[in-house]
Amino acid sequence: MRTQAPCLSIGFLATTTGRLFTRLMEQKLKPAGMRAGQIPVFLALGKGEILNQKYLAEFAGIEQPGMATLLARMERDGLIERETDPNDKRVSQIRLTPDGLMKGQKIIPIMEEASKEAFKGFTPLERDILITLLERMSSSLERCL
């Protein structure tokens, strides 16, 4: 029996579900030499794009220092490379290395596989309804911030 108010339990459920899904993604990405936190960078740069750190941080929805740390690790691991922006010497342009591009091509199939596992036992209609509801909730929360 639930004793918490529904408005309190949705946060707990969303957080718990997100953590579990992230753990599943980590399991699936580890053999390919990737981490779940790198997914936004791979997605943003996956077609050979060259972007700056500020854009990547906004795209990923994380603060600049967190993105700086993530990019430093990805550079150390040979997944990205940086070059100075010719128009602004203070800014680095970031791109995936050939190894990063190869690994990045595995992201979507891995995410699809994890999603299939997460939706086991759901009908296609239930899956579509849940996705629609989560998208609506996400939009509502973005408007609040």
Side-chain angles (χ1 to χ4, degrees):
M1 179 200 286
R2 289 191 179 148
T3 57
Q4 260 185 330
C7 63
L8 296 176
S9 65
I10 187 65
F12 176 78
L13 287 169
T15 300
T16 301
T17 302
R19 284 185 186 142
L20 289 168
F21 191 77
T22 298
R23 284 177 48 198
L24 178 62
M25 286 299 300
E26 289 288 349
Q27 280 181 350
K28 295 192 170 303
L29 290 167
K30 189 174 183 176
M34 297 180 283
R35 304 286 315 254
Q38 298 169 336
I39 290 173
V41 175
F42 280 115
L43 292 177
L45 302 175
K47 293 188 172 101
E49 291 85 348
I50 302 171
L51 301 169
N52 64 41
Q53 178 179 312
K54 181 179 179 189
Y55 177 87
L56 291 170
E58 288 172 6
F59 181 79
I62 63 174
E63 298 292 326
Q64 286 265 12
M67 180 56 69
T69 301
L70 175 63
L71 293 174
R73 288 182 183 144
M74 290 181 77
E75 186 173 31
R76 176 199 68 202
D77 296 341
L79 300 172
I80 64 158
E81 56 192 9
R82 304 173 200 239
E83 59 187 49
T84 304
D85 184 334
N87 300 318
D88 186 346
K89 303 291 183 205
R90 299 168 297 165
V91 176
S92 290
Q93 295 293 319
I94 298 151
R95 78 171 91 217
L96 291 174
T97 63
D99 185 42
L101 282 166
M102 269 189 348
K103 287 183 177 184
Q105 291 173 354
K106 299 174 185 178
I107 291 283
I108 299 296
I110 290 171
M111 289 174 66
E112 288 172 349
E113 182 183 336
S115 292
K116 273 185 189 175
E117 289 183 30
F119 281 116
K120 275 185 186 164
F122 284 71
T123 67
L125 178 60
E126 288 171 332
R127 182 198 66 226
D128 292 346
I129 289 170
L130 179 57
I131 289 169
T132 299
L133 293 173
L134 289 171
E135 287 171 342
R136 282 177 49 199
M137 182 177 282
S138 187
S139 292
S140 292
L141 291 169
E142 284 178 357
R143 285 193 299 273
C144 292
L145 301 175

